[in-house]
């Protein structure tokens, strides 16, 4: 226990805002997602570019004895028509927008996981503190039991129960230590840190002074939720594919220019010019073009319906998470009322037991009830902050989680 307290005192306190900032900079998954954004953005411009021109050099109709050597140099260029280049560029731009939205959603997910691990860490620390407080009560109770047994006023079973409660408390503390290490391991992975580094102490969280109305949060999510931006980009990509499929019915033009020079040909002209064009003939509309158009149009309908379904899920997710946040808030308020009563009950039971007016069981039960309420408060505080983190992710915007994470007081009940 002493080593754990010293470790907490030596390690620097850790703040959620700092950890979120560190995760944005160092998390490997975010780095990979950011690199993918750069990759797809770089591919937008080439998607609408012309194909490279073709250079062809030919030995043209040369006699077997090479008495003359006609050489032709030709340059050709393919020119897509019907808006194909713009459609390809728009499709690539939509893919880039989807990748960028996926990166933003991934960033929100990582921040939510950081907050979840951070408040699990807080809960484990608070459990250790509550157990330390209960241990102090039990040691006083143990001394009183020893005094009563030695004077013949108490039973040996009281002393044994007090000793057993202390042993059980040590077992509970080991569980809290394990949970603390587990939470730190998850945090370390998200931050790309060494899990063997000193953990540090969390800050005391608090509730937000006010929470926006549910409808305001739902409307805000329609504007800022990354997944909705990705779904809109997917619709744009599907629309570009429809335009590209329809443009396949329009021929493309290939133009060329050539010059031929006949070496060792003194009897006639030595230089000749050629120019012309060629077009493809999209005559297989029924077997090729029309099915492509139908497929692209079906993909567009699917993208629009997927966005509709996603909007419904976002609205439902926010409503559900919002209800969880309010429920945790009410639990916290109730436990701030319960804890002073439980603490007074312990103090009253201790003094009454020392005076011989109540039995040992009442004191022990009062101490355990106080611990239960203290742990319940810590649990609901951690759950409140974790639910708030989930609400932020559902809305796609900051609601003040970082400020709430360090705005609390040790006890304001």
């Amino acid at each position: 226990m002493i080593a754990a307290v010293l470790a907490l005192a030596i390690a620097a306190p850790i703040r959620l805002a700092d950890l979120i900032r560190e995760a944005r900079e160092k998390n490997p998954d975010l780095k990979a997602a950011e690199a993918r954004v750069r990759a797809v953005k770089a591919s937008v411009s080439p998607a609408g570019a012309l194909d490279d021109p073709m250079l062809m050099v030919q030995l043209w109709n040369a006699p077997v004895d090479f008495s003359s050597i006609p050489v032709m140099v030709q340059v050709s260029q393919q020119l897509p028509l019907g808006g194909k280049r713009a459609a390809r560029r728009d499709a690539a731009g939509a893919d880039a927008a989807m990748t960028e939205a996926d990166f933003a959603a991934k960033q929100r997910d990582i921040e939510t996981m950081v907050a979840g691990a951070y408040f699990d860490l807080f809960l484990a620390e608070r459990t250790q503190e509550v157990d330390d407080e209960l241990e102090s009560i039990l040691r006083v109770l143990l001394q009183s039991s020893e005094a009563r047994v030695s004077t013949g006023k108490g039973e040996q079973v009281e002393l044994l129960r007090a000793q057993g409660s202390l042993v059980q408390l040590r077992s509970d503390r080991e569980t809290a230590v394990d949970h603390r290490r587990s939470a730190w391991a998850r945090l370390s992975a998200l931050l790309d840190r060494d899990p063997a580094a000193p953990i540090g102490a969390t800050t005391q969280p608090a509730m937000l002074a006010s929470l926006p109305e549910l409808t305001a949060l739902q409307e805000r999510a329609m504007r800022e939720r990354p997944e909705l931006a990705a779904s809109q980009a997917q619709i744009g990509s599907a629309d570009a594919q429809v335009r590209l499929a329809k443009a396949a019915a329009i021929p493309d033009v290939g133009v060329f220019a050539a010059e031929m020079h006949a070496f060792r040909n003194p009897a006639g002209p030595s230089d000749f010019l050629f120019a012309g064009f060629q077009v493809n003939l999209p005559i297989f509309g029924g077997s090729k073009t029309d099915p492509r158009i139908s497929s692209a149009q079906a993909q567009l309908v699917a993208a629009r319906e997927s966005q509709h379904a996603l909007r419904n899920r976002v609205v439902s997710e926010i409503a559900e998470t919002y209800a969880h946040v309010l429920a945790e808030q009410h639990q916290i308020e109730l436990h701030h009322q319960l804890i002073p009563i439980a603490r007074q009950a312990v103090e009253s039971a201790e003094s009454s037991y020392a005076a011989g007016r109540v039995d040992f069981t009442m004191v022990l039960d009062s101490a355990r009830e106080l611990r239960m309420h203290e742990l319940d408060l810590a649990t609901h505080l951690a759950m409140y902050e974790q639910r708030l983190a989930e609400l932020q992710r559902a809305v796609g915007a900051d609601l003040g989680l970082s400020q709430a994470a360090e705005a609390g007081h040790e006890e304001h009940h």
Side-chain angles (χ1 to χ4, degrees):
M1 181 188 70
I2 296 176
V5 173
L6 287 175
L8 282 174
I10 294 173
I14 53 177
R15 300 169 60 248
L16 179 61
D18 295 336
L19 297 181
I20 289 177
R21 191 180 306 110
E22 185 176 348
R24 290 173 180 170
E25 296 172 355
K26 298 182 179 180
N27 182 269
D29 287 331
L30 289 183
K31 287 183 178 180
E34 191 175 14
R36 284 192 288 270
V37 170
R38 292 196 301 270
V40 295
K41 281 186 173 181
S43 66
V44 174
S45 178
L50 289 170
D51 291 338
D52 292 336
M54 298 294 293
L55 173 66
M56 181 170 59
V57 179
Q58 301 180 67
L59 181 64
W60 185 268
N61 200 25
V64 176
D65 60 359
F66 288 99
S67 57
S68 65
I69 305 176
V71 176
M72 183 169 68
V73 178
Q74 175 178 311
V75 176
S76 61
Q77 177 67 61
Q78 193 74 11
L79 300 175
L81 301 180
K84 296 183 182 72
R85 291 173 57 200
R88 293 189 187 111
R89 186 169 53 247
D90 290 346
D95 289 342
M98 281 190 285
T99 306
E100 195 167 13
D102 289 342
F103 167 69
K106 185 69 174 178
Q107 190 175 60
R108 286 291 178 186
D109 289 341
I110 294 295
E111 291 173 4
T112 303
M113 288 189 284
V114 168
Y118 179 85
F119 291 111
D120 282 344
L121 187 62
F122 157 77
L123 180 58
E125 290 176 1
R126 184 63 184 134
T127 301
Q128 289 179 267
E129 294 170 1
V130 171
D131 287 344
D132 290 342
E133 181 183 358
L134 180 59
E135 184 178 6
S136 299
I137 295 173
L138 289 177
R139 290 196 179 280
V140 172
L141 189 58
L142 180 61
Q143 292 174 357
S144 299
S145 299
E146 291 173 343
R148 286 172 58 87
V149 170
S150 63
T151 59
K153 297 179 180 179
E155 299 294 335
Q156 185 70 23
V157 67
E158 298 178 4
L159 184 59
L160 294 175
R161 290 195 64 182
Q163 293 172 340
S165 296
L166 282 171
V167 174
Q168 179 61 48
L169 191 61
R170 295 191 190 101
S171 174
D172 295 338
R173 185 180 288 109
E174 287 300 318
T175 301
V177 169
D178 175 63
H179 289 168
R180 187 165 181 266
R181 289 171 179 166
S182 174
W184 178 245
R186 284 186 283 128
L187 260 181
S188 299
L190 292 168
L191 303 175
D192 197 25
R193 282 194 190 182
D194 181 5
I199 298 178
T202 59
T203 55
Q204 179 74 14
M207 295 184 295
L208 293 177
S210 62
L211 193 64
E213 293 293 331
L214 174 60
T215 53
L217 292 177
Q218 291 169 334
E219 291 171 1
R220 189 173 180 181
M222 295 301 111
R223 300 190 303 269
E224 302 188 32
R225 179 77 179 254
E227 290 88 343
L228 287 172
S231 70
Q232 187 61 42
Q234 187 174 16
I235 292 174
S237 176
D239 181 70
Q241 293 298 332
V242 170
R243 289 189 283 120
L244 190 60
K246 291 180 177 179
I250 300 174
D252 296 331
V253 175
V255 297
F256 67 90
E259 194 271 343
M260 186 174 69
H261 180 79
F263 296 92
R264 301 178 186 176
N265 187 27
S270 298
D271 293 293
F272 302 88
L273 295 177
F274 301 86
F277 71 92
Q278 63 181 11
V279 297
N280 63 306
L281 300 177
I283 59 176
F284 300 108
S287 61
K288 185 172 69 173
T289 304
D290 292 346
R292 287 179 178 174
I293 294 173
S294 297
S295 175
Q297 288 174 335
Q299 292 293 338
L300 179 58
V301 172
R304 286 172 175 164
E305 292 302 324
S306 294
Q307 185 187 61
H308 188 181
L310 177 59
R311 285 176 173 268
N312 290 342
R313 288 197 300 273
V314 168
V315 169
S316 173
E317 182 182 359
I318 292 174
E320 182 179 359
T321 310
Y322 190 87
H324 292 325
V325 171
L326 291 182
E328 295 299 335
Q329 179 178 320
H330 295 155
Q331 288 283 359
I332 292 169
E333 292 168 349
L334 290 172
H335 279 81
H336 278 307
Q337 298 175 30
L338 282 170
I339 290 174
I341 299 173
R343 182 167 288 128
Q344 290 176 7
V346 170
E347 294 170 355
S348 175
E350 283 180 332
S351 59
S352 297
Y353 177 70
R357 293 193 298 270
V358 298
D359 61 9
F360 176 83
T361 303
M362 180 175 290
V363 185
L364 190 59
D365 289 345
S366 298
R368 288 173 174 170
E369 186 174 356
L370 174 61
R371 178 182 183 271
M372 179 187 69
H373 291 319
E374 291 276 14
L375 290 182
D376 283 348
L377 174 60
T379 300
H380 288 301
L381 266 174
M383 288 296 295
Y384 172 85
E385 305 296 341
Q386 289 170 339
R387 296 296 192 184
L388 183 58
E390 293 170 3
L391 185 60
Q392 281 195 170
R393 187 198 59 78
V395 175
D398 182 27
L399 302 179
L401 173 66
S402 296
Q403 293 83 352
E406 54 189 275
H409 304 286
E410 188 62 28
E411 288 186 4
H412 65 267
H413 40 255

